[in-house]
Amino acid sequence: KAVTIEQIEKEHDTFYEVGIEAIKAGKVGAVLLAGGQGTRLGFDSPKGMFNMGENKELYIFQCQINNLMDVVKLTGTYIPLYIMTSEKNNSETIDFFEKHNYFGYDSNYVKFFIQDMAPSVDFSGKIFMESKSEMAVSPNGNGGWFSSIVRAGLLDEIREKGIEWINVFAV
């Protein structure tokens, strides 16, 4: 059931407490959509690795982990974090997190999975070809996170952990 902004504001305290209790009970997980490259930023690596700090290093991934760490500090509970990468940036993303010690997030709560690929088509549905015998493929988009997490075999883990709510957010 959808709610309006006015309803959210009116029920803020109730929603806040319900959310905190769900997190403490281990019923909340998070999915970070991190399959994209930083091309539009003039950066030829995963977008989350982009350093946006002016006076010190501050990576996009670091900002997102800092937000999760605020929740950890508030609740005393780590939220299982599933990071969707792409075939192109999976290794580089994992290496980056390891090099930066997961920005202080407990790595036992972090799992990486690769986004599914789908055939590339034009607006009329004609399939693009990589070569005469090979179909061109592209990542299946942010909307494909659920099928990708299922194909990676992580849905069983999510169920086993008792996760009922998943916050999906993008780089």
Side-chain angles (χ1 to χ4, degrees):
K1 176 180 168 185
V3 293
T4 65
I5 292 173
E6 291 80 19
Q7 289 170 307
I8 292 170
E9 289 171 350
K10 182 179 176 185
E11 298 292 325
H12 173 272
D13 294 346
T14 301
F15 292 151
Y16 183 85
E17 289 303 318
V18 168
I20 294 295
E21 290 308 312
I23 291 167
K24 287 180 177 181
K27 294 181 179 186
V28 177
V31 172
L32 172 56
L33 308 175
Q37 294 295 102
T39 311
R40 287 178 288 192
L41 299 170
F43 185 64
D44 193 31
S45 287
K47 195 182 326 176
M49 291 173 50
F50 184 74
N51 180 5
M52 57 186 204
E54 281 190 39
N55 301 321
K56 64 179 182 175
E57 288 185 342
L58 182 63
Y59 303 100
I60 294 173
F61 282 142
Q62 182 179 6
C63 290
Q64 292 171 313
I65 295 298
N66 287 347
N67 290 340
L68 280 172
M69 288 301 294
D70 288 345
V71 175
V72 170
K73 291 172 188 166
L74 180 67
T75 63
T77 307
Y78 278 92
I79 296 170
L81 173 61
Y82 301 90
I83 301 176
M84 184 174 77
T85 63
S86 67
E87 289 179 356
K88 184 172 183 174
N89 74 12
N90 183 63
S91 294
E92 193 174 5
T93 300
I94 292 170
D95 291 345
F96 185 78
F97 270 88
E98 288 174 350
K99 176 184 172 191
H100 291 91
N101 197 28
Y102 293 79
F103 300 102
Y105 207 77
D106 187 335
S107 64
N108 293 312
Y109 290 87
V110 180
K111 296 278 175 86
F112 295 89
F113 67 101
I114 297 173
Q115 182 175 15
D116 291 340
M117 301 297 279
S120 297
V121 297
D122 67 13
F123 289 110
S124 64
K126 181 181 176 190
I127 296 174
F128 289 118
M129 299 299 290
E130 193 73 35
S131 67
K132 286 186 177 190
S133 62
E134 185 179 1
M135 187 172 36
V137 293
S138 299
N140 67 352
N142 285 347
W145 73 267
F146 186 76
S147 64
S148 298
I149 212 166
V150 169
R151 191 175 316 278
L154 294 170
L155 188 57
D156 290 336
E157 174 184 305
I158 289 168
R159 286 183 174 142
E160 287 168 11
K161 289 183 177 198
I163 295 171
E164 298 177 15
W165 303 95
I166 298 177
N167 180 23
V168 180
F169 58 106
V171 169

